Amino acid sequence: MIDIPTLRTMRSDAADIARSGQLSHASLIIGRNLQKQPTEIKKNWAIPVGILLTLLATILLWIVYYGMSSETIPTTPIIIKGIIPAEKVAAASPENAARELRAAKLAAGTIIRVIPAVNDFSLTASEFLVQLKFAVPEGLTQTLSGEYLLGAHGLERNYGFLLLSVRSYERAYASMLAWEGGSLARDLVPLLGTFEGTTLRELNTTAFKDEVLKNVDVRALRDSKGNLRLMYGFLHPTILAIAIDVGTWTELLARFTSPSAVIP
């Protein structure tokens, strides 16, 4: 997992002092420093002046603390920017990527970005697909560019998805159609998430069909009971999206239109 370090701010420092009960200790230090007055000051004035300055410093510190704590503190989680924003990020080897997508602890509606990596070096989209030995058409790997995002969306369970940036919409779409006739379901469903009661053999013998989801043209694969099991389409002429759940597809569309989204 990649840890995002906590940033220290004046507010957090002041809050830490107040919560830990160190305010009196800080005041004592200030008082001691203030009591080191030049010898010209008469001894009978040194103590009252030191106490007064200490009290003023204490009052000022409390004003700063309460002033800052009264501000509105954001309660939304940290957002990691990318093709779409995500709340969490983790790294995993290609062979463990599927496990990370399933095992990640996600609150409902949140997303984790999983970065495929080998020996602490992140992989490009093409390298990742090759590492998994997917039978990806050459036309697709040749048009892949820029960022990609492998992730999972938390609902009643985790649903995986894959976003790929492409140079050519036409070439990418034609390659996906070719992949359909080969091993698309067999390759991607085990990665993004399998379903009880639906076998890969069943999906491999079922044809993709044209559908419209949330006003976007998609190619959809349904099982014998009519349940949607795999879909792909373009959120943008340069962004190919692959998902296994309608709720996840809806979330991807919503996040792609957010200010935090990035179009490579």
Side-chain angles (χ1 to χ4, degrees):
M1 300 287 288
I2 297 177
D3 295 328
I4 300 176
T6 303
L7 297 178
R8 293 188 60 188
T9 63
M10 181 185 295
R11 181 190 307 172
S12 64
D13 288 342
D16 289 343
I17 290 173
R19 287 195 298 267
S20 62
Q22 294 178 342
L23 185 60
S24 59
H25 179 60
S27 300
L28 180 59
I29 293 174
I30 295 172
R32 286 175 178 173
N33 289 334
L34 291 174
Q35 287 174 16
K36 295 178 182 179
Q37 302 295 331
T39 55
E40 300 85 35
I41 299 177
K42 294 182 180 180
K43 184 176 180 180
N44 60 331
W45 284 101
I47 294 176
V49 170
I51 293 174
L52 178 60
L53 291 177
T54 300
L55 290 174
L56 290 175
T58 302
I59 293 171
L60 179 60
L61 185 59
W62 276 106
I63 290 174
V64 171
Y65 168 68
Y66 279 113
M68 289 185 171
S69 62
S70 64
E71 297 175 1
T72 301
I73 301 175
T75 58
T76 55
I78 295 173
I79 298 297
I80 299 96
K81 292 186 178 181
I83 296 177
I84 62 169
E87 286 79 13
K88 290 186 176 183
V89 63
S93 62
E95 59 270 19
N96 289 328
R99 184 185 308 169
E100 185 67 36
L101 293 176
R102 289 167 175 73
K105 295 182 179 180
L106 298 176
T110 61
I111 281 178
I112 185 171
R113 177 182 183 177
V114 175
I115 301 175
V118 174
N119 296 327
D120 296 327
F121 288 93
S122 60
L123 302 177
T124 65
S126 296
E127 291 170 341
F128 173 56
L129 296 175
V130 168
Q131 286 279 333
L132 292 178
K133 296 180 172 57
F134 287 173
V136 184
E138 186 177 356
L140 180 59
T141 57
Q142 290 178 348
T143 194
L144 294 177
S145 68
E147 285 197 46
Y148 72 105
L149 197 157
L150 174 68
H153 175 225
L155 291 171
E156 73 279 1
R157 51 165 277 197
N158 292 356
Y159 292 95
F161 63 88
L162 180 62
L163 301 180
L164 299 168
S165 56
V166 298
R167 297 185 185 90
S168 169
Y169 165 84
E170 292 79 9
R171 193 171 188 183
Y173 184 55
S175 297
M176 289 299 294
L177 291 175
W179 199 1
E180 276 185 24
S183 60
L184 181 58
R186 185 169 64 250
D187 289 339
L188 290 181
V189 170
L191 172 65
L192 303 181
T194 56
F195 297 89
E196 292 185 6
T198 302
T199 65
L200 285 177
R201 178 177 296 182
E202 176 187 347
L203 294 178
N204 285 333
T205 58
T206 305
F208 280 80
K209 295 183 179 180
D210 290 325
E211 294 191 21
V212 178
L213 291 177
K214 303 299 177 181
N215 296 319
V216 176
D217 293 327
V218 301
R219 293 284 290 171
L221 181 65
R222 295 180 179 272
D223 62 18
S224 59
K225 298 179 182 179
N227 299 309
L228 195 57
R229 295 309 188 208
L230 185 63
M231 69 204 81
Y232 71 86
F234 289 83
L235 305 182
H236 181 272
T238 62
I239 301 296
L240 170 63
I242 305 170
I244 60 172
D245 178 74
V246 176
T248 298
W249 182 265
T250 302
E251 184 68 17
L252 295 178
L253 284 172
R255 294 193 180 215
F256 186 71
T257 58
S258 74
S260 300
V262 175
I263 302 177

